[in-house]
Amino acid sequence: MSAPILSLERLGVGLPSHGSGRPVTVLEQLDLTVQPGEMTALVGESGSGKTIAALAAMRLLPPGGTTEGVVRFDGIDLLAQDERRMRALRGRIGMVFQNPLSALNPTRTIGAQVADGHRLHAGGSAAQARVRAIDLLGEVGIPNPARRLDDYPHQFSGGQRQRVMIAAALACDPKLLIADEPTTGLDPLVARQILALLAGLRRSHGLGVLFITHDLSIVADHADRLTVLYAGRAVEWGAARRFFAAPRHPYSQALLGAVPRLGQASLHGIPGLLPDPARRPPGCRFAPRCAYAQAPCEVAYPPPVGDAGEAAACLYPQPAPLLEAGHAAAAFEAGGTAPLLALEHVTVRYGDAAPSLSEVSLELRRGECLGIVGESGSGKSTLGRAILQMLPYQGRILLDGQDLAALPREALRRARRRIQPVFQDPRESLNPRLRVRETLAEPLRLVGMRDKDRLAREVASLLAKVGLDPSLADRFPGQISGGQAQRVAVARALATRPDIIVLDEPTSALDVSTQATLLTLLRDLARSERLATLFISHDIAAVSWLADRIAVLRQGEIVEMADTMRMIAQPNHPYAAALIDTAPRIARR
């Protein structure tokens, strides 16, 4: 085997704490290699240390950060280089970030940004850099690259912006590509295209790829090796093929079990939270959340069981459990009940462009979950916003048979309280200046509740309903985790006791374990509250687990709608079949 292009040897990282200012260890004794032409995946929940490992390897830690161990790139110890030498070496390491809209400069053309690296590190002229940018944009699959060169990031879709980021990362012919959550937030069809693109680039350029993700399922077909991180320590590592056949560490098994699959009967989040880096337990860090933990697990960090190439750091490794096939809930029985919500030929246009939503008709009954799936730009969110009366539309939207557009203003206000939203990113939908208590009390005051004691009881009840500790009521959104913030958003939606909740990509910004917990919560609430839910998502597997029926949107039109089990077993439309083909399934063993 050739020498690795990247080698991390007992890498440790400390970051300054906000309280004492002394470094707190966030990553310990990480060993990892990336071979030329191969992909190594670094996997774990948010906060496990994945991105910190990549930033340490690039020498891009924030001020006050400390490192120990060895980072070798192409045989060079990066931690021993001065900053001038590091700038030159970074030109040989490409990096692709999670959110290309944040990473790309909105005031500069994409051509200029792709050409920057070539001019800086290769020293070419502006004309040569422009030609190179056109070649790279074509290589990563941007149509008509010469004509798109002078466009700006906002003129590209999410998947195209990620392709632009990959082109920029390739500008200096790197030997190593670090991809940090490059498919998070993308719909499965586009994510599959990005992974296929990276696989092709590995073969054609001999690139080594370090792929950072929280979702084990998306690297199953592409990774050669993987390392699973938990709370700053590696818990399992080895060849990807063996790992996916039989993961040994309970945390690895829990991550795989949290990924929704087509035909999966049960979905399990991981109870509890990652430990605070300043107060990590002395033994196995996963022990407080592990169903198999015993007293020795709490004494010292377990030694690896296996060899240097393949091992799990666990005293009691378990055989991988089989996932249970079936469906999350019994099929919804509509019977003869009248629809709670009905859309009749709803069309939405933005200016003179083609309709974003065209002649959409559907029905939703009390207690039913209707999944809306499709690629980004298919009209899913537009449909949700039309139902929420947030934008003008043609056609009719009926609530209990009443045309919402024809209601007087006060009657419309009352009707809108019966339809509540939960949006994609709780960080954007929650006011950062309001404590959780005030966020939940606000809709209660709007419906006339004024008594302070009663408000306090209702807020506590809402927090309990979504499984949150009442002590969170005094925190701001920035002081709680993403999963907790999304639960607060669900509690706020429940405050007015609605009949319908519109869930617009509520799990796409969450890691898989938090997503599983939230999906289970939403299912339980829908049953206990007899809520009708519209679940908008590009994740067909998550939708299939929660929804009773699925409607497939493409270019603003419903191309197929059917009961969930029939849809995933035998889709009729080729586009629906392509979407379903992107989802992980229950393995046949």
Side-chain angles (χ1 to χ4, degrees):
M1 181 179 291
S2 61
I5 192 64
L6 178 69
S7 174
L8 309 183
E9 301 169 16
R10 300 183 70 80
L11 177 64
V13 177
L15 296 178
S17 66
H18 295 296
S20 65
R22 293 192 301 270
V24 173
T25 301
V26 294
L27 188 69
E28 293 180 60
Q29 302 181 31
L30 175 61
D31 293 322
L32 178 147
T33 60
V34 180
Q35 296 289 339
E38 292 190 349
M39 176 191 285
T40 295
L42 189 57
V43 183
E45 292 173 276
S46 299
S48 59
K50 308 184 301 296
T51 298
I52 288 297
L55 294 176
M58 294 280 284
R59 294 269 304 276
L60 293 174
L61 291 174
T66 62
T67 55
E68 59 182 27
V70 178
V71 177
R72 297 189 190 278
F73 167 68
D74 206 13
I76 302 169
D77 183 358
L78 297 184
L79 300 185
Q81 308 303 311
D82 60 27
E83 183 56 29
R84 179 175 171 274
R85 175 64 172 150
M86 269 306 303
R87 281 198 297 270
L89 289 169
R90 288 190 191 107
R92 298 162 60 189
I93 305 173
M95 191 144 187
V96 181
F97 297 96
Q98 175 175 343
N99 187 348
L101 197 56
S102 299
L104 294 171
N105 188 329
T107 66
R108 303 182 67 219
T109 66
I110 58 103
Q113 296 184 68
V114 173
D116 276 348
H118 182 77
R119 295 190 65 185
L120 179 63
H121 294 283
S125 67
Q128 290 171 328
R130 186 175 177 87
V131 171
R132 175 68 172 152
I134 293 172
D135 291 342
L136 286 169
L137 290 173
E139 187 173 1
V140 299
I142 298 294
N144 302 313
R147 293 198 318 187
R148 302 300 308 271
L149 201 65
D150 295 319
D151 288 344
Y152 290 87
H154 72 273
Q155 295 173 283
F156 291 78
S157 69
Q160 288 177 324
R161 285 193 292 265
Q162 199 59 282
R163 290 173 184 265
V164 170
M165 279 292 299
I166 294 173
L170 294 175
C172 298
D173 295 317
K175 291 188 173 183
L176 172 69
L177 189 67
I178 299 176
D180 189 1
E181 301 275 13
T183 59
T184 298
L186 300 179
D187 63 63
L189 285 175
V190 176
R192 174 178 281 194
Q193 293 166 8
I194 295 297
L195 285 165
L197 170 63
L198 291 175
L201 292 171
R202 282 193 293 137
R203 291 190 295 268
S204 60
H205 291 256
L207 275 173
V209 177
L210 178 61
F211 195 96
I212 296 170
T213 182
H214 63 254
D215 187 349
L216 280 164
S217 69
I218 67 172
V219 297
D221 294 330
H222 295 278
D224 299 288
R225 300 186 60 79
L226 59 78
T227 294
V228 180
L229 272 184
Y230 180 78
R233 290 291 296 262
V235 298
E236 186 165 359
W237 55 93
R241 180 172 297 181
R242 190 215 57 77
F243 172 89
F244 285 105
R248 288 175 283 182
H249 198 282
Y251 179 63
S252 303
Q253 297 169 6
L255 278 181
L256 278 170
V259 177
R261 288 168 168 78
L262 292 178
Q264 188 169 343
S266 57
L267 188 63
H268 302 288
I270 307 175
L273 299 171
L274 272 81
D276 186 311
R279 293 187 293 273
R280 286 170 173 165
C284 175
R285 291 169 183 174
F286 187 60
R289 305 171 72 185
C290 181
Y292 308 108
Q294 300 183 35
C297 300
E298 301 175 2
V299 177
Y301 197 80
V305 177
D307 56 39
E310 293 190 357
C314 183
L315 294 176
Y316 306 102
Q318 303 292 319
L322 288 173
L323 296 173
E324 183 183 353
H327 193 244
F332 175 79
E333 296 292 341
T337 60
L340 177 63
L341 179 76
L343 276 65
E344 298 179 353
H345 309 292
V346 172
T347 298
V348 175
R349 293 179 182 272
Y350 295 105
D352 297 327
S356 295
L357 214 60
S358 180
E359 295 285 328
V360 169
S361 298
L362 56 83
E363 294 180 346
L364 181 66
R365 287 172 169 77
R366 190 176 296 278
E368 181 186 23
C369 179
L370 174 62
I372 307 292
V373 299
E375 292 177 272
S376 299
S378 60
K380 304 187 303 296
S381 293
T382 298
L383 174 61
R385 283 165 168 75
I387 292 170
L388 291 162
Q389 306 296 294
M390 295 174 65
L391 47 77
Y393 57 86
Q394 297 171 307
R396 298 205 306 164
I397 297 179
L398 309 175
L399 180 63
D400 271 339
Q402 290 186 305
D403 185 352
L404 293 178
L407 292 177
R409 178 176 297 182
E410 186 56 37
L412 179 59
R413 286 183 61 186
R414 290 195 298 270
R416 290 180 70 175
R417 293 172 189 162
R418 299 175 60 192
I419 309 175
Q420 292 294 313
V422 176
F423 294 109
Q424 177 174 352
D425 190 345
R427 301 294 188 197
E428 295 182 2
S429 64
L430 298 178
N431 189 330
R433 298 181 178 181
L434 295 182
R435 297 182 189 274
V436 169
R437 180 189 313 283
E438 296 158 338
T439 293
L440 298 182
E442 186 178 42
L444 296 171
R445 291 193 185 98
L446 289 175
V447 296
M449 193 179 295
R450 294 289 184 266
D451 182 77
K452 289 185 179 181
D453 291 338
R454 187 181 175 195
L455 279 170
R457 289 194 299 272
E458 281 294 321
V459 167
S461 174
L462 287 168
L463 288 172
K465 194 172 287 187
V466 297
L468 292 177
D469 191 282
S471 64
L472 266 65
D474 291 320
R475 299 187 190 179
F476 291 97
Q479 297 174 313
I480 59 179
S481 70
Q484 289 171 328
Q486 196 61 291
R487 286 179 181 234
V488 171
V490 172
R492 182 181 60 183
L494 294 172
T496 59
R497 293 188 169 88
D499 296 310
I500 301 169
I501 291 187
V502 177
L503 303 161
D504 189 0
E505 300 278 11
T507 62
S508 66
L510 306 176
D511 61 48
V512 290
S513 60
T514 308
Q515 171 184 271
T517 302
L518 185 65
L519 287 173
T520 303
L521 168 69
L522 292 171
R523 180 202 61 190
D524 294 343
L525 285 172
R527 290 175 177 174
S528 62
E529 306 288 323
R530 288 293 291 165
L531 284 168
T533 50
L534 194 76
F535 184 21
I536 296 168
S537 178
H538 57 240
D539 187 343
I540 184 71
V543 169
S544 74
W545 188 82
L546 192 63
D548 302 292
R549 289 185 299 134
I550 296 176
V552 180
L553 267 181
R554 187 185 188 196
Q555 297 178 351
E557 298 182 359
I558 293 179
V559 297
E560 186 168 358
M561 183 158 49
D563 291 343
T564 296
M565 295 305 291
R566 206 280 293 157
M567 177 74 78
I568 64 176
Q570 193 174 9
N572 292 323
H573 195 279
Y575 178 70
L579 279 181
I580 290 169
D581 190 48
T582 65
R585 295 177 179 267
I586 295 289
R588 299 183 184 277
R589 298 187 182 181

